[in-house]
Amino acid sequence: MAKLYTREGWIDFEKMERMSSTLNIVIGPRNSGKTYGKMLYNHNHGIPYIFMRTTQKQIDTIFINDFSPFGALNRDVGSRYFCKMLPKSNVEAVYADYTEKDGKQIPKGKPVNYAVSLLQVGSIRGFNLDYVPELIYDEFIKHPGEIIQNYGKSDVMYFDIIMTLNRAREMRGQRPLKQWLFG
């Protein structure tokens, strides 16, 4: 059996990727590097992705730049990821760089990643992000203390999102959307 952790105790995504499939469920202890390790791997290999959490409040909170999971990447690898809500969408766009004007950060270029909430986009069909090859669903297992409305329908919403994101990728000769579920 392959050792899936580095000497330092973090999940080794170089090994995980070699063993991966279309659907990858990674359940492990808190602070073992599931989310950060996958984001770092994708950063190092230039792989765009959609980052998903269950509720819009989670997305709204963690994608405030001070709380963003990209903050650790920016600090550790010198990147300049910047998050900005796309107008009228409840979708956070993640840009690789920004400029500053009048004390405000302005995105540079096109988004490289996106962040969405399951409960928000689960009811929307027809949007197109079929050029993004991976989905990272972080904290997909509800914490015992969380109260989440409509959580009982989350499986149906998840499958709707997968159908929307996957579209006709395989009929066009593309690989299916690769899914990473972390809990």
Side-chain angles (χ1 to χ4, degrees), residues 65 80-84 93-110:
N65 281 320
R80 289 173 46 97
Y81 288 108
F82 170 72
C83 306
K84 184 172 176 70
V94 181
Y95 299 87
D97 202 0
Y98 59 89
T99 59
E100 292 190 40
K101 183 176 182 182
D102 300 326
K104 292 185 180 182
Q105 295 173 321
I106 300 166
K108 249 173 115 170
K110 293 185 178 193

Side-chain angles (χ1 to χ4, degrees), residues 34-137:
K34 296 180 297 287
T35 305
Y36 178 83
K38 181 63 177 138
M39 291 171 69
L40 178 61
Y41 179 90
N42 283 33
H43 167 81
N44 289 339
H45 292 83
I47 302 169
Y49 56 91
I50 298 162
F51 180 91
M52 186 166 69
R53 292 286 300 263
T54 302
T55 70
Q56 188 64 39
K57 183 176 181 176
Q58 290 167 335
I59 292 296
D60 292 344
T61 301
I62 67 170
F63 282 92
I64 295 170
N65 281 320
D66 291 343
F67 303 137
S68 168
F70 291 100
L73 276 179
N74 289 343
R75 178 194 66 229
D76 294 348
V77 300
S79 56
R80 289 173 46 97
Y81 288 108
F82 170 72
C83 306
K84 184 172 176 70
M85 183 74 72
L86 293 174
K88 301 178 185 178
S89 71
N90 289 326
V91 173
E92 286 281 349
V94 181
Y95 299 87
D97 202 0
Y98 59 89
T99 59
E100 292 190 40
K101 183 176 182 182
D102 300 326
K104 292 185 180 182
Q105 295 173 321
I106 300 166
K108 249 173 115 170
K110 293 185 178 193
V112 294
N113 301 309
Y114 297 91
V116 300
S117 76
L118 172 73
L119 297 179
Q120 217 37 43
V121 300
S123 62
I124 302 170
R125 292 165 196 71
F127 64 93
N128 185 17
L129 289 175
D130 67 351
Y131 57 92
V132 180
E134 292 193 1
L135 171 72
I136 298 171
Y137 185 4

Side-chain angles (χ1 to χ4, degrees), residues 3-18:
K3 291 187 178 187
L4 300 178
Y5 292 87
T6 65
R7 269 191 255 173
E8 297 81 21
W10 305 109
I11 292 178
D12 187 338
F13 273 97
E14 293 292 336
K15 289 179 183 170
M16 293 287 282
E17 282 289 339
R18 287 193 296 273

